[in-house]
Coordinates of all heavy atoms in Angstrom, one line a residue:
M1 N 0.6 -36.7 11.0 CA 0.4 -35.3 11.2 C 1.9 -34.7 11.4 O 2.6 -35.3 12.1 CB -0.5 -35.0 12.4 CG -0.7 -33.5 12.6 SD -1.8 -33.2 14.0 CE -3.4 -33.7 13.2
I2 N 2.0 -33.6 10.8 CA 3.3 -33.0 10.9 C 3.4 -32.0 12.0 O 2.4 -31.2 12.1 CB 3.7 -32.3 9.5 CG1 3.6 -33.4 8.4 CG2 5.0 -31.6 9.7 CD1 3.8 -32.7 7.0
R3 N 4.3 -32.2 12.8 CA 4.4 -31.2 13.9 C 5.4 -30.1 13.5 O 6.5 -30.3 13.1 CB 5.0 -31.9 15.1 CG 5.2 -30.9 16.3 CD 5.7 -31.7 17.5 NE 4.7 -32.7 17.9 CZ 4.9 -33.6 19.0 NH1 6.0 -33.4 19.6 NH2 4.0 -34.4 19.3
V4 N 4.8 -28.9 13.6 CA 5.6 -27.7 13.2 C 6.1 -27.0 14.5 O 5.3 -26.7 15.3 CB 4.7 -26.7 12.4 CG1 5.6 -25.5 12.0 CG2 4.2 -27.4 11.1
A5 N 7.4 -26.9 14.5 CA 8.0 -26.2 15.7 C 7.7 -24.7 15.5 O 7.9 -24.1 14.5 CB 9.5 -26.5 15.7
S6 N 7.2 -24.2 16.6 CA 6.9 -22.8 16.6 C 8.2 -22.1 17.1 O 8.7 -22.3 18.2 CB 5.8 -22.5 17.5 OG 6.2 -22.8 18.9
V7 N 8.7 -21.2 16.2 CA 9.9 -20.5 16.5 C 9.5 -19.1 16.9 O 8.8 -18.3 16.1 CB 10.8 -20.4 15.3 CG1 12.1 -19.6 15.6 CG2 11.2 -21.9 14.8
G8 N 9.9 -18.7 18.0 CA 9.5 -17.4 18.6 C 10.2 -16.3 17.9 O 9.7 -15.2 17.8
S9 N 11.5 -16.5 17.5 CA 12.3 -15.4 17.0 C 12.7 -15.8 15.6 O 12.7 -16.9 15.2 CB 13.5 -15.2 17.9 OG 14.4 -16.2 17.7
Q10 N 13.2 -14.8 15.0 CA 13.7 -15.0 13.6 C 15.1 -15.3 13.5 O 15.8 -15.3 12.5 CB 13.4 -13.7 12.8 CG 12.0 -13.3 12.6 CD 11.3 -14.1 11.5 OE1 11.9 -14.6 10.6 NE2 10.0 -14.3 11.7
G11 N 15.6 -15.7 14.7 CA 17.0 -16.1 14.7 C 17.8 -14.8 15.1 O 17.3 -13.9 15.9
H12 N 19.1 -14.7 14.6 CA 19.9 -13.6 15.0 C 19.7 -12.4 14.1 O 20.2 -12.3 13.1 CB 21.4 -14.0 15.0 CG 21.9 -14.4 13.7 ND1 21.6 -15.7 13.2 CD2 22.6 -13.9 12.8 CE1 22.1 -15.8 12.0 NE2 22.8 -14.7 11.8
V13 N 18.7 -11.6 14.5 CA 18.4 -10.4 13.7 C 19.1 -9.2 14.4 O 18.9 -8.9 15.5 CB 17.0 -10.1 13.6 CG1 16.7 -8.8 12.9 CG2 16.2 -11.3 13.0
E14 N 20.0 -8.7 13.6 CA 20.7 -7.5 14.1 C 19.9 -6.3 13.9 O 19.3 -6.0 12.9 CB 22.1 -7.3 13.4 CG 23.1 -8.3 13.9 CD 24.5 -7.9 13.2 OE1 24.8 -6.7 13.2 OE2 25.2 -8.9 12.8
R15 N 19.8 -5.5 15.0 CA 19.2 -4.2 14.9 C 20.1 -3.3 14.4 O 21.1 -2.9 14.9 CB 18.7 -3.8 16.3 CG 17.9 -2.6 16.2 CD 17.4 -2.1 17.6 NE 16.5 -3.1 18.1 CZ 15.9 -3.1 19.3 NH1 16.2 -2.1 20.0 NH2 15.0 -4.0 19.7
T16 N 19.8 -2.8 13.2 CA 20.7 -1.8 12.5 C 20.3 -0.5 12.5 O 19.0 -0.2 12.4 CB 20.9 -2.4 11.0 OG1 21.0 -3.8 11.0 CG2 22.2 -1.8 10.4
S17 N 21.1 0.4 12.6 CA 20.8 1.8 12.6 C 21.9 2.6 11.8 O 22.9 2.1 11.5 CB 20.7 2.4 14.0 OG 21.9 2.1 14.7
C18 N 21.5 3.9 11.5 CA 22.4 4.7 10.8 C 23.8 4.9 11.5 O 23.7 5.1 12.7 CB 21.7 6.0 10.6 SG 22.9 7.2 9.8
L19 N 24.8 4.7 10.8 CA 26.2 4.7 11.4 C 26.4 6.1 12.0 O 27.1 6.3 13.0 CB 27.2 4.5 10.3 CG 28.7 4.7 10.8 CD1 29.1 3.6 11.8 CD2 29.6 4.6 9.5
L20 N 25.8 7.2 11.4 CA 26.2 8.6 11.8 C 25.3 9.1 12.8 O 25.7 9.7 13.7 CB 26.2 9.4 10.5 CG 27.3 8.9 9.5 CD1 27.2 9.8 8.2 CD2 28.7 8.9 10.0
C21 N 24.0 8.9 12.7 CA 23.0 9.6 13.5 C 22.3 8.6 14.4 O 21.6 8.9 15.3 CB 22.0 10.4 12.8 SG 20.8 9.5 11.8
G22 N 22.4 7.2 14.2 CA 21.8 6.2 15.0 C 20.4 6.0 14.8 O 19.8 5.3 15.5
R23 N 19.8 6.6 13.8 CA 18.4 6.4 13.5 C 18.2 4.9 13.0 O 19.0 4.5 12.2 CB 18.1 7.4 12.3 CG 16.7 7.3 11.8 CD 16.6 8.3 10.8 NE 15.4 8.0 9.8 CZ 15.3 8.7 8.7 NH1 16.2 9.6 8.4 NH2 14.4 8.3 7.8
A24 N 17.1 4.4 13.5 CA 16.8 3.0 13.2 C 16.4 2.8 11.7 O 15.7 3.6 11.1 CB 15.7 2.5 14.0
T25 N 16.9 1.7 11.1 CA 16.6 1.5 9.6 C 15.1 1.3 9.4 O 14.6 1.5 8.3 CB 17.3 0.3 9.1 OG1 17.0 -0.8 10.0 CG2 18.8 0.6 9.1
F26 N 14.4 0.8 10.4 CA 12.9 0.6 10.2 C 12.1 1.8 10.5 O 10.9 1.7 10.4 CB 12.4 -0.6 11.1 CG 12.9 -0.5 12.5 CD1 12.2 0.3 13.4 CD2 14.0 -1.3 13.0 CE1 12.6 0.4 14.7 CE2 14.4 -1.2 14.3 CZ 13.8 -0.4 15.2
D27 N 12.8 2.9 10.8 CA 12.0 4.1 10.9 C 11.4 4.4 9.6 O 12.2 4.6 8.5 CB 13.0 5.2 11.4 CG 12.3 6.5 11.7 OD1 11.1 6.5 11.8 OD2 13.0 7.5 11.7
P28 N 10.1 4.5 9.5 CA 9.5 4.8 8.1 C 9.8 6.1 7.6 O 9.7 7.2 8.2 CB 8.0 4.7 8.5 CG 7.9 5.0 9.9 CD 9.1 4.4 10.6
G29 N 10.4 6.1 6.4 CA 10.7 7.3 5.8 C 9.5 7.8 4.9 O 8.6 7.1 4.7
R30 N 9.6 9.0 4.5 CA 8.6 9.6 3.6 C 9.0 9.6 2.1 O 9.1 10.7 1.5 CB 8.1 10.9 4.1 CG 7.6 10.9 5.5 CD 7.1 12.3 5.9 NE 8.2 13.2 6.1 CZ 8.8 13.4 7.2 NH1 8.5 12.7 8.2 NH2 9.8 14.3 7.3
G31 N 9.4 8.5 1.7 CA 9.9 8.5 0.3 C 11.1 9.4 0.1 O 11.3 10.0 -0.9
E32 N 12.0 9.4 1.1 CA 13.0 10.4 1.1 C 14.2 9.9 0.4 O 15.2 10.8 0.1 CB 13.4 10.8 2.5 CG 13.7 9.6 3.4 CD 13.8 9.9 4.9 OE1 14.1 11.1 5.1 OE2 13.7 9.0 5.7
G33 N 14.4 8.7 0.3 CA 15.6 8.2 -0.4 C 15.9 6.8 0.0 O 15.2 6.1 0.7
V34 N 17.2 6.5 -0.3 CA 17.6 5.1 -0.1 C 18.7 5.1 0.9 O 19.6 5.9 0.9 CB 18.1 4.5 -1.5 CG1 18.6 3.1 -1.2 CG2 17.0 4.5 -2.5
W35 N 18.6 4.1 1.8 CA 19.8 3.9 2.7 C 21.0 3.4 2.0 O 20.9 2.5 1.2 CB 19.4 2.9 3.8 CG 18.4 3.5 4.8 CD1 17.1 3.9 4.6 CD2 18.6 3.8 6.1 NE1 16.5 4.3 5.7 CE2 17.4 4.3 6.7 CE3 19.7 3.7 7.0 CZ2 17.3 4.8 8.0 CZ3 19.6 4.1 8.3 CH2 18.4 4.6 8.8
A36 N 22.2 4.0 2.3 CA 23.4 3.6 1.6 C 24.0 2.4 2.4 O 24.1 2.5 3.6 CB 24.3 4.7 1.5
H37 N 24.3 1.4 1.7 CA 25.0 0.3 2.4 C 26.5 0.5 2.2 O 27.0 0.9 1.3 CB 24.7 -1.1 1.7 CG 23.2 -1.4 1.9 ND1 22.8 -2.5 2.6 CD2 22.1 -0.8 1.4 CE1 21.5 -2.5 2.6 NE2 21.0 -1.5 1.9
G38 N 27.2 0.1 3.3 CA 28.7 0.2 3.3 C 29.3 -0.7 4.4 O 28.5 -1.4 5.1
V39 N 30.6 -0.6 4.4 CA 31.3 -1.3 5.5 C 32.3 -0.4 6.2 O 33.0 0.4 5.5 CB 32.1 -2.5 4.9 CG1 33.0 -3.2 5.9 CG2 31.1 -3.5 4.3
A40 N 32.3 -0.4 7.5 CA 33.2 0.4 8.2 C 33.8 -0.4 9.4 O 33.0 -1.0 10.1 CB 32.5 1.6 8.8
G41 N 35.1 -0.4 9.4 CA 35.8 -1.2 10.4 C 35.4 -2.6 10.5 O 35.4 -3.3 11.5
G42 N 35.2 -3.2 9.3 CA 34.9 -4.6 9.2 C 33.4 -5.0 9.5 O 33.1 -6.1 9.7
R43 N 32.6 -3.9 9.7 CA 31.2 -4.2 10.0 C 30.3 -3.6 8.9 O 30.6 -2.6 8.3 CB 30.7 -3.6 11.3 CG 31.4 -4.3 12.5 CD 30.8 -3.7 13.8 NE 29.4 -3.7 13.7 CZ 28.7 -2.8 14.3 NH1 29.2 -1.8 15.0 NH2 27.3 -2.8 14.3
Q44 N 29.2 -4.3 8.6 CA 28.2 -3.9 7.6 C 27.5 -2.7 8.3 O 27.0 -2.8 9.4 CB 27.2 -5.0 7.3 CG 26.3 -4.5 6.2 CD 26.8 -4.9 4.8 OE1 27.3 -5.9 4.6 NE2 26.8 -3.9 3.9
V45 N 27.4 -1.6 7.6 CA 26.8 -0.4 8.2 C 25.8 0.2 7.1 O 25.8 -0.1 5.9 CB 27.8 0.7 8.6 CG1 28.7 0.1 9.7 CG2 28.6 1.2 7.4
L46 N 24.9 1.1 7.6 CA 24.0 1.8 6.8 C 24.0 3.2 7.1 O 24.3 3.7 8.2 CB 22.6 1.3 7.1 CG 22.3 -0.2 6.6 CD1 21.0 -0.7 7.3 CD2 22.2 -0.3 5.1
I47 N 23.9 4.1 6.1 CA 23.8 5.5 6.2 C 22.4 5.9 5.7 O 22.0 5.7 4.6 CB 24.9 6.2 5.4 CG1 26.2 5.5 5.6 CG2 24.9 7.7 5.7 CD1 26.8 5.7 7.0
C48 N 21.7 6.7 6.6 CA 20.3 7.1 6.2 C 20.4 8.2 5.2 O 21.4 8.9 5.0 CB 19.7 7.6 7.5 SG 20.1 9.2 8.1
P49 N 19.3 8.3 4.5 CA 19.2 9.4 3.4 C 19.5 10.8 4.0 O 20.0 11.6 3.2 CB 17.8 9.2 2.9 CG 17.4 7.8 3.2 CD 18.1 7.5 4.6
D50 N 19.0 11.0 5.1 CA 19.3 12.3 5.8 C 20.8 12.7 5.8 O 21.2 13.8 5.5 CB 18.6 12.5 7.1 CG 17.3 13.0 7.0 OD1 16.8 13.3 5.9 OD2 16.6 13.1 8.1
C51 N 21.5 11.7 6.4 CA 23.0 11.9 6.6 C 23.6 12.0 5.2 O 24.6 12.8 5.1 CB 23.6 10.8 7.4 SG 23.1 10.9 9.1
Q52 N 23.2 11.3 4.2 CA 23.8 11.4 2.9 C 23.6 12.8 2.4 O 24.5 13.4 1.7 CB 23.1 10.4 1.9 CG 23.4 8.9 2.3 CD 22.6 8.0 1.3 OE1 22.7 8.1 0.1 NE2 21.9 7.1 1.9
R53 N 22.5 13.4 2.7 CA 22.2 14.8 2.2 C 23.0 15.9 3.0 O 23.5 16.8 2.4 CB 20.7 15.0 2.3 CG 20.0 14.9 0.9 CD 18.7 15.6 1.0 NE 17.9 15.4 2.2 CZ 17.0 14.5 2.4 NH1 16.8 13.7 1.4 NH2 16.4 14.4 3.5
T54 N 22.9 15.7 4.3 CA 23.3 16.8 5.1 C 24.8 16.7 5.5 O 25.4 17.6 6.0 CB 22.6 16.8 6.5 OG1 22.7 15.5 7.1 CG2 21.1 17.0 6.1
R55 N 25.4 15.6 5.2 CA 26.9 15.4 5.5 C 27.6 15.1 4.3 O 27.7 14.0 3.8 CB 27.1 14.3 6.6 CG 26.2 14.5 7.8 CD 26.5 13.3 8.8 NE 25.5 13.4 9.8 CZ 25.8 13.2 11.2 NH1 27.1 13.0 11.5 NH2 24.9 13.3 12.0
P56 N 28.3 16.1 3.7 CA 28.9 16.0 2.4 C 30.0 14.9 2.4 O 30.3 14.3 1.4 CB 29.5 17.4 2.2 CG 28.7 18.3 3.0 CD 28.3 17.5 4.2
R57 N 30.5 14.7 3.5 CA 31.6 13.7 3.6 C 31.2 12.4 4.4 O 32.0 11.8 5.1 CB 32.9 14.3 4.4 CG 33.5 15.5 3.6 CD 34.5 16.2 4.4 NE 35.1 17.3 3.6 CZ 36.1 17.2 2.8 NH1 36.7 16.1 2.6 NH2 36.5 18.3 2.2
W58 N 29.9 12.1 4.3 CA 29.3 11.0 5.0 C 30.0 9.7 4.7 O 30.0 8.8 5.5 CB 27.9 10.8 4.8 CG 27.6 10.6 3.3 CD1 27.3 11.5 2.3 CD2 27.5 9.3 2.7 NE1 27.1 10.9 1.1 CE2 27.1 9.5 1.3 CE3 27.6 7.9 3.1 CZ2 27.0 8.4 0.4 CZ3 27.4 7.0 2.2 CH2 27.1 7.2 0.9
D59 N 30.6 9.6 3.5 CA 31.3 8.3 3.1 C 32.7 8.2 3.6 O 33.4 7.2 3.3 CB 31.1 8.1 1.6 CG 31.8 9.2 0.9 OD1 32.1 10.2 1.5 OD2 31.9 9.0 -0.4
E60 N 33.2 9.2 4.2 CA 34.6 9.2 4.7 C 34.9 8.1 5.7 O 36.0 7.6 5.8 CB 35.1 10.5 5.2 CG 35.4 11.6 4.1 CD 36.2 12.7 4.7 OE1 36.1 12.9 5.9 OE2 36.9 13.3 3.9
Q61 N 33.8 7.7 6.4 CA 34.0 6.8 7.4 C 33.9 5.4 7.0 O 34.1 4.4 7.7 CB 33.0 7.0 8.6 CG 33.2 8.3 9.3 CD 32.3 8.4 10.5 OE1 32.2 7.5 11.3 NE2 31.6 9.6 10.7
L62 N 33.5 5.2 5.7 CA 33.3 3.9 5.1 C 34.6 3.3 4.6 O 35.4 4.1 4.0 CB 32.3 3.9 4.0 CG 30.9 4.4 4.5 CD1 30.0 4.4 3.3 CD2 30.3 3.5 5.6
D63 N 34.7 2.0 4.7 CA 35.9 1.4 4.0 C 35.7 1.5 2.5 O 34.6 1.5 2.0 CB 35.9 -0.1 4.3 CG 36.4 -0.3 5.8 OD1 36.8 0.8 6.4 OD2 36.3 -1.4 6.3
R64 N 36.8 1.6 1.8 CA 36.7 1.7 0.3 C 37.3 0.4 -0.3 O 38.2 -0.2 0.1 CB 37.5 3.0 -0.1 CG 36.8 4.2 0.2 CD 37.5 5.4 -0.3 NE 36.8 6.7 0.1 CZ 35.8 7.1 -0.6 NH1 35.4 6.6 -1.7 NH2 35.2 8.3 -0.2
C65 N 36.7 0.2 -1.5 CA 37.2 -0.9 -2.4 C 38.7 -0.6 -2.7 O 39.0 0.5 -3.2 CB 36.4 -1.0 -3.6 SG 37.1 -2.1 -4.8
R66 N 39.5 -1.5 -2.5 CA 41.0 -1.2 -2.8 C 41.2 -1.3 -4.4 O 42.3 -1.0 -4.9 CB 41.8 -2.4 -2.2 CG 41.9 -2.1 -0.7 CD 42.5 -3.4 0.0 NE 42.2 -3.4 1.4 CZ 42.4 -4.4 2.2 NH1 42.9 -5.5 1.7 NH2 42.1 -4.3 3.5
T67 N 40.2 -1.7 -5.1 CA 40.4 -1.8 -6.5 C 39.9 -0.6 -7.3 O 40.6 0.0 -8.1 CB 39.6 -3.0 -7.1 OG1 40.1 -4.2 -6.5 CG2 39.8 -3.2 -8.6
C68 N 38.7 -0.1 -6.9 CA 38.1 1.0 -7.6 C 37.8 2.2 -6.6 O 37.5 3.3 -7.1 CB 36.8 0.6 -8.3 SG 35.4 0.3 -7.3
G69 N 37.9 2.0 -5.3 CA 37.7 3.1 -4.4 C 36.3 3.4 -4.0 O 36.0 4.3 -3.3
A70 N 35.4 2.6 -4.6 CA 34.0 2.8 -4.2 C 33.6 2.4 -2.7 O 34.4 1.6 -2.2 CB 33.1 1.9 -5.2
T71 N 32.6 3.0 -2.2 CA 32.3 2.7 -0.8 C 31.1 1.7 -0.8 O 30.6 1.3 0.2 CB 31.8 3.9 -0.1 OG1 30.8 4.6 -0.8 CG2 32.9 4.9 0.1
R72 N 30.7 1.2 -1.9 CA 29.6 0.3 -2.1 C 30.0 -1.1 -1.8 O 30.1 -1.9 -2.7 CB 28.9 0.4 -3.4 CG 28.3 1.8 -3.7 CD 27.8 1.9 -5.1 NE 26.8 0.8 -5.5 CZ 26.6 0.5 -6.7 NH1 27.1 1.1 -7.7 NH2 25.7 -0.4 -6.9
L73 N 30.4 -1.4 -0.5 CA 30.9 -2.7 -0.2 C 29.9 -3.4 0.6 O 29.0 -2.9 1.3 CB 32.2 -2.5 0.7 CG 33.3 -1.7 0.0 CD1 34.5 -1.6 1.0 CD2 33.7 -2.4 -1.2
S74 N 30.0 -4.8 0.5 CA 29.2 -5.7 1.3 C 30.0 -6.7 1.9 O 31.1 -7.1 1.4 CB 28.2 -6.4 0.4 OG 27.2 -5.5 -0.1
L75 N 29.7 -7.1 3.1 CA 30.4 -8.2 3.8 C 29.7 -9.5 3.4 O 28.5 -9.7 3.8 CB 30.3 -8.0 5.3 CG 31.4 -7.2 5.9 CD1 31.2 -7.1 7.4 CD2 32.7 -7.8 5.7
V76 N 30.4 -10.4 2.8 CA 29.9 -11.7 2.4 C 30.8 -12.8 2.9 O 32.0 -12.9 2.4 CB 29.7 -11.8 0.8 CG1 29.1 -13.1 0.5 CG2 28.8 -10.7 0.4
L77 N 30.4 -13.5 3.9 CA 31.2 -14.5 4.5 C 32.6 -14.1 4.8 O 33.5 -14.8 4.6 CB 31.2 -15.8 3.5 CG 29.9 -16.3 3.2 CD1 30.1 -17.5 2.1 CD2 29.2 -16.9 4.4
G78 N 32.7 -13.0 5.4 CA 34.0 -12.4 5.9 C 34.8 -11.7 4.8 O 35.8 -11.2 5.1
D79 N 34.3 -11.7 3.6 CA 34.9 -11.0 2.6 C 34.3 -9.7 2.2 O 33.1 -9.5 2.4 CB 35.0 -11.8 1.3 CG 36.0 -13.0 1.3 OD1 36.9 -12.9 2.2 OD2 36.0 -13.8 0.4
L80 N 35.0 -8.7 1.9 CA 34.5 -7.4 1.4 C 34.3 -7.6 -0.1 O 35.2 -7.8 -0.8 CB 35.5 -6.3 1.7 CG 35.5 -5.7 3.2 CD1 36.6 -4.7 3.2 CD2 34.2 -5.1 3.4
V81 N 33.0 -7.5 -0.5 CA 32.7 -7.6 -1.9 C 32.2 -6.2 -2.4 O 31.4 -5.6 -1.8 CB 31.7 -8.6 -2.1 CG1 31.3 -8.7 -3.5 CG2 32.1 -10.0 -1.6
C82 N 32.9 -5.7 -3.4 CA 32.5 -4.4 -4.0 C 31.3 -4.6 -5.0 O 31.4 -5.4 -5.9 CB 33.7 -3.9 -4.7 SG 33.4 -2.3 -5.5
R83 N 30.4 -3.8 -4.7 CA 29.1 -3.8 -5.6 C 29.3 -3.0 -6.9 O 28.5 -3.1 -7.7 CB 27.9 -3.3 -4.8 CG 27.5 -4.2 -3.7 CD 26.3 -3.7 -3.0 NE 25.8 -4.6 -2.0 CZ 24.6 -4.9 -1.7 NH1 23.7 -4.2 -2.3 NH2 24.3 -5.7 -0.7
A84 N 30.4 -2.3 -6.9 CA 30.7 -1.4 -8.0 C 31.5 -2.2 -9.0 O 31.2 -2.1 -10.2 CB 31.4 -0.1 -7.6
C85 N 32.5 -2.9 -8.6 CA 33.4 -3.5 -9.6 C 33.4 -5.0 -9.4 O 34.0 -5.8 -10.3 CB 34.8 -2.9 -9.5 SG 35.8 -3.5 -8.1
G86 N 32.9 -5.5 -8.3 CA 32.8 -6.9 -8.1 C 34.1 -7.6 -7.4 O 34.1 -8.8 -7.2
A87 N 35.0 -6.7 -7.1 CA 36.2 -7.2 -6.5 C 35.9 -7.7 -5.0 O 35.0 -7.1 -4.3 CB 37.3 -6.1 -6.4
A88 N 36.6 -8.8 -4.6 CA 36.4 -9.3 -3.3 C 37.8 -9.4 -2.6 O 38.7 -9.8 -3.2 CB 35.8 -10.7 -3.4
A89 N 37.8 -9.0 -1.4 CA 39.0 -9.1 -0.6 C 38.7 -9.4 0.9 O 37.6 -9.1 1.4 CB 39.7 -7.8 -0.7
P90 N 39.5 -10.1 1.6 CA 39.3 -10.4 3.0 C 39.1 -9.1 3.7 O 39.8 -8.1 3.6 CB 40.6 -11.1 3.4 CG 41.2 -11.6 2.2 CD 40.8 -10.6 1.1
A91 N 38.0 -9.1 4.6 CA 37.7 -8.0 5.4 C 38.9 -7.8 6.5 O 39.6 -8.6 6.8 CB 36.4 -8.1 6.2
E92 N 39.0 -6.5 7.0 CA 40.0 -6.2 7.9 C 39.6 -6.9 9.2 O 38.5 -7.3 9.5 CB 40.0 -4.7 8.1 CG 40.5 -3.9 6.9 CD 40.5 -2.4 7.2 OE1 40.5 -2.0 8.4 OE2 40.4 -1.7 6.3
G93 N 40.7 -7.0 10.0 CA 40.4 -7.7 11.3 C 40.9 -9.1 11.3 O 40.6 -9.9 12.2
G94 N 41.6 -9.6 10.2 CA 42.0 -10.9 10.2 C 43.3 -11.1 11.0 O 43.6 -12.3 11.2
G95 N 43.9 -10.1 11.4 CA 45.2 -10.3 12.2 C 44.9 -10.6 13.6 O 43.8 -10.9 14.0
P96 N 45.9 -10.6 14.4 CA 45.8 -10.8 15.9 C 44.9 -9.8 16.5 O 44.9 -8.6 16.0 CB 47.2 -10.8 16.4 CG 48.0 -9.9 15.4 CD 47.3 -10.3 14.1
P97 N 44.1 -10.2 17.4 CA 43.2 -9.2 18.1 C 44.0 -8.1 18.9 O 45.1 -8.4 19.4 CB 42.5 -10.0 19.1 CG 43.2 -11.3 19.3 CD 44.0 -11.5 18.1
E98 N 43.5 -7.0 18.9 CA 44.2 -5.9 19.5 C 44.1 -6.0 21.1 O 43.1 -6.5 21.6 CB 43.5 -4.5 19.2 CG 43.7 -4.1 17.7 CD 43.1 -2.8 17.4 OE1 43.1 -2.0 18.3 OE2 42.6 -2.6 16.3
Q99 N 45.1 -5.6 21.7 CA 45.1 -5.6 23.2 C 44.5 -4.3 23.6 O 44.8 -3.2 23.2 CB 46.6 -5.7 23.7 CG 47.3 -6.9 23.3 CD 46.8 -8.2 24.0 OE1 46.2 -8.0 25.1 NE2 46.9 -9.3 23.4
G100 N 43.6 -4.6 24.5 CA 43.0 -3.3 24.9 C 42.1 -2.9 25.8 O 41.8 -1.8 26.0
Ligands
LIG201 ZN1 21.8 9.1 9.7
LIG202 ZN1 35.5 -1.8 -6.5

């Protein structure tokens, strides 16, 4: 007989919310749009559809691809990967930690 370990949690699940308004990603929308993925300060962040509509400069806080300038970045194993052009670069924060 195979013993199946019962896992209470799904592991390290980060609770993610909108970078700008703090609204939780699992908040059910009414078909209002798509959450924008991006990276800010070396962290994967999300921008809710509301903020994309109501804040014309919502993407100013996002890191941009150094190759094409797009904000559609993903963090993959510590690298910033651009979903627009496919360029990959080490994420910020690789230097010495800030004193602070
Ligand atoms: Zn928002
Ligand atoms: Zn790019």
Side-chain angles (χ1 to χ4, degrees):
M1 184 175 287
I2 301 175
R3 178 177 296 177
V4 178
S6 63
V7 180
S9 71
Q10 296 282 333
H12 59 287
V13 175
E14 280 189 43
R15 183 176 297 178
T16 319
S17 56
C18 174
L19 173 69
L20 300 178
C21 72
R23 174 178 157 196
T25 54
F26 47 78
D27 186 18
R30 296 187 293 273
E32 53 188 337
V34 180
W35 287 67
H37 293 249
V39 174
R43 288 185 54 209
Q44 188 89 50
V45 298
L46 290 166
I47 311 293
C48 77
D50 269 358
C51 286
Q52 293 176 54
R53 262 201 314 268
T54 60
R55 305 180 191 225
R57 299 172 181 270
W58 62 271
D59 59 350
E60 278 196 339
Q61 297 188 43
L62 300 179
D63 290 350
R64 289 183 179 274
C65 172
R66 290 167 193 169
T67 301
C68 74
T71 56
R72 296 171 57 198
L73 301 177
S74 291
L75 269 180
V76 181
L77 299 178
D79 281 349
L80 278 178
V81 178
C82 176
R83 294 184 177 212
C85 74
E92 293 181 23
E98 292 183 30
Q99 297 289 333

